[in-house]
Amino acid sequence: MSVIIIGAGPAGCEAASQLARNGETVELIEKECETGGNLNNWYQLFPDRKNAKELSAFLRENIRHPNIHLHLGCEPVKIIRQSGQSYSVHLNDGTQLQGNALLLTTGFRTFNARRKEEYGYGIYENVITSVELENFFTNHHIQTSAGKTPQRIGLIQCVGSRDEKICNFHCSKLCCITAVKQAIELREMLPEAEIICFYMDMRMFGPGYEELYREAQEKYNIKFIRGRLSEASENREKQVIIKAEDTLIGKPIRMTLDLMVLMIGMEASEGSRHWAAQLGLYVAPNGFIQVKDPHFATNQTNIEGIFVAGCSSSPMNLTDTLTDARSAAMTIKEFLGKNDKNQAEIKIN
């Protein structure tokens, strides 16, 4: 029995590893020239501040298995469901793969901050995204567009999440804790800077998250203001002038920032949207692939033999993504076992 997995991010790699260890042949497809997906954009992970490269290396090592055939720099151009519960996947390099089950681990895309024009991303030089800030951390150097050390930095949460204006009603789950982590990292690199987080609600749902949030305030002197940014502009010195409201005290705020960081949320990836449409999969209102049942069939779709794992179905943190990938591997293993048994019974009869 063989399984075709589309997407070699954390979910795809972990599911492939689990399936291979349990005797299944896996065809793992990745459109980029390396595995890892969005994990490759991060410097440190929360809540333990582990270096993201360590986990990437661990996942890559796990898929060095004789049962796993990795197809890098390849994309499916056609998927055909054949009789007898099998799938034929045609790649852009001319390769044709056959599988008895199909797993979509096509992940997520980060919100395009240019869609929120009032924040000035792509217009004002010192407005960046949380992903771009991670690159600063990787290079161990943070500066403004003029090459100066920023003295006041503002982190704006929920950019592209819980926003009716852009029809993204869902919570991306990671923006709050990412802001806390990045604020601490900024403090460590810039001990004299003023660092302010503007938030709607602090949703610290994961193990160690609430403790990290508390530490950010008590140990690192990070300021948290409950209020949503309403307007941003730029002065002659290329600083960002923002207008907001502190909703806890009911007063307006006008502030000048040397650097403004937009905590961009998660959306369904192009791959998830494309293959959901092509394969006839149900899609949830938030654009992610809808699972068969939110309690008992979280890795199954409305089509038998097609499975999902990780952020293909909803925003997840890395821990939940890897757990979901293991769950998908077990679900697929059970599905293949039933199919193998059914085929054996047909031959006997």
Side-chain angles (χ1 to χ4, degrees), residues 18-133:
Q18 294 293 327
L19 286 164
R21 291 177 186 180
N22 282 278
E24 305 298 342
T25 299
V26 179
E27 303 289 347
L28 181 58
I29 305 166
E30 172 54 49
K31 66 178 181 178
E32 304 296 338
C33 293
E34 63 177 345
T35 61
N38 286 293
L39 180 61
N40 296 329
N41 295 324
W42 298 98
Y43 172 57
Q44 290 182 337
L45 307 174
F46 46 77
D48 60 354
R49 310 282 300 281
K50 180 189 291 292
N51 191 309
K53 292 187 182 301
E54 290 182 24
L55 183 56
S56 291
F58 177 78
L59 291 171
R60 289 191 182 106
E61 186 61 31
N62 278 354
I63 61 173
R64 292 179 182 274
H65 192 285
N67 286 355
I68 299 175
H69 306 138
L70 180 59
H71 305 268
L72 289 175
C74 295
E75 289 187 81
V77 293
K78 184 194 301 182
I79 299 177
I80 302 173
R81 188 184 187 193
Q82 299 174 326
S83 59
Q85 289 295 337
S86 65
Y87 293 87
S88 176
V89 178
H90 300 252
L91 304 183
N92 57 352
D93 66 352
T95 303
Q96 183 175 333
L97 306 174
Q98 297 293 133
N100 303 99
L102 183 66
L103 174 61
L104 299 178
T105 53
T106 39
F108 68 92
R109 69 182 181 193
T110 52
F111 175 76
N112 182 0
R114 287 180 173 84
R115 291 167 59 189
K116 294 289 291 181
E117 293 182 4
E118 63 269 33
Y119 291 172
Y121 180 74
I123 302 172
Y124 308 137
E125 294 180 8
N126 289 304
V127 177
I128 65 173
T129 68
S130 48
V131 175
E132 291 167 332
L133 182 58

Side-chain angles (χ1 to χ4, degrees), residues 239-301:
Q239 293 172 305
V240 183
I241 303 171
I242 64 169
K243 291 181 181 179
E245 180 186 6
D246 188 326
T247 56
L248 290 181
I249 61 175
K251 290 186 177 181
I253 297 172
R254 189 175 186 274
M255 186 181 296
T256 301
L257 304 173
D258 296 312
L259 191 66
M260 185 166 81
V261 185
L262 305 179
M263 313 307 297
I264 50 178
M266 303 167 70
E267 294 182 321
S269 70
E270 291 84 353
S272 295
R273 296 171 189 268
H274 173 77
W275 289 116
Q278 293 294 315
L279 297 170
L281 303 179
Y282 293 158
V283 176
N286 60 12
F288 292 84
I289 297 173
Q290 185 170 307
V291 299
K292 187 175 181 179
D293 184 277
H295 305 289
F296 300 108
T298 55
N299 297 116
Q300 298 177 43
T301 68

Side-chain angles (χ1 to χ4, degrees), residues 81-338:
R81 188 184 187 193
Q82 299 174 326
S83 59
Q85 289 295 337
S86 65
Y87 293 87
S88 176
V89 178
H90 300 252
L91 304 183
N92 57 352
D93 66 352
T95 303
Q96 183 175 333
L97 306 174
Q98 297 293 133
N100 303 99
L102 183 66
L103 174 61
L104 299 178
T105 53
T106 39
F108 68 92
R109 69 182 181 193
T110 52
F111 175 76
N112 182 0
R114 287 180 173 84
R115 291 167 59 189
K116 294 289 291 181
E117 293 182 4
E118 63 269 33
Y119 291 172
Y121 180 74
I123 302 172
Y124 308 137
E125 294 180 8
N126 289 304
V127 177
I128 65 173
T129 68
S130 48
V131 175
E132 291 167 332
L133 182 58
E134 288 289 323
N135 292 329
F136 281 136
F137 292 143
T138 300
N139 295 324
H140 303 286
H141 186 64
I142 297 174
Q143 62 181 24
T144 66
S145 61
K148 298 180 180 179
T149 300
Q151 298 302 309
R152 179 185 282 168
I153 303 171
L155 289 80
I156 314 300
Q157 297 184 201
C158 292
V159 179
S161 301
R162 303 172 64 196
D163 191 337
E164 294 184 11
K165 292 181 179 179
I166 57 171
C167 298
N168 277 358
F169 303 98
H170 64 277
C171 172
S172 292
K173 296 178 70 172
L174 306 184
C175 308
C176 292
I177 186 62
T178 298
V180 171
K181 178 194 81 82
Q182 291 191 335
I184 291 174
E185 291 170 325
L186 284 168
R187 167 65 68 233
E188 291 174 342
M189 295 187 69
L190 305 171
E192 304 301 322
E194 183 180 6
I195 302 166
I196 308 160
C197 290
F198 291 86
Y199 69 96
M200 291 175 61
D201 303 288
M202 295 301 292
R203 298 187 169 185
M204 299 286 106
F205 72 93
Y209 291 12
E210 187 67 33
E211 292 82 353
L212 197 65
Y213 174 39
R214 189 167 186 170
E215 187 178 13
Q217 298 171 80
E218 296 177 351
K219 180 180 177 180
Y220 293 95
N221 193 30
I222 308 300
K223 297 179 181 178
F224 290 85
I225 297 177
R226 189 177 189 275
R228 192 148 194 173
L229 181 68
S230 61
E231 184 181 333
S233 59
E234 187 180 68
N235 63 18
R236 292 182 179 180
E237 288 73 35
K238 303 298 182 180
Q239 293 172 305
V240 183
I241 303 171
I242 64 169
K243 291 181 181 179
E245 180 186 6
D246 188 326
T247 56
L248 290 181
I249 61 175
K251 290 186 177 181
I253 297 172
R254 189 175 186 274
M255 186 181 296
T256 301
L257 304 173
D258 296 312
L259 191 66
M260 185 166 81
V261 185
L262 305 179
M263 313 307 297
I264 50 178
M266 303 167 70
E267 294 182 321
S269 70
E270 291 84 353
S272 295
R273 296 171 189 268
H274 173 77
W275 289 116
Q278 293 294 315
L279 297 170
L281 303 179
Y282 293 158
V283 176
N286 60 12
F288 292 84
I289 297 173
Q290 185 170 307
V291 299
K292 187 175 181 179
D293 184 277
H295 305 289
F296 300 108
T298 55
N299 297 116
Q300 298 177 43
T301 68
N302 58 294
I303 297 180
E304 189 177 24
I306 300 181
F307 304 85
V308 291
C311 295
S312 296
S313 61
S314 70
M316 295 184 190
N317 64 15
L318 189 55
T319 302
D320 290 345
T321 293
L322 296 175
T323 301
D324 196 52
R326 297 181 197 112
S327 170
M330 184 172 64
T331 302
I332 293 171
K333 179 70 176 176
E334 182 180 5
F335 169 79
L336 294 176
K338 288 181 179 178

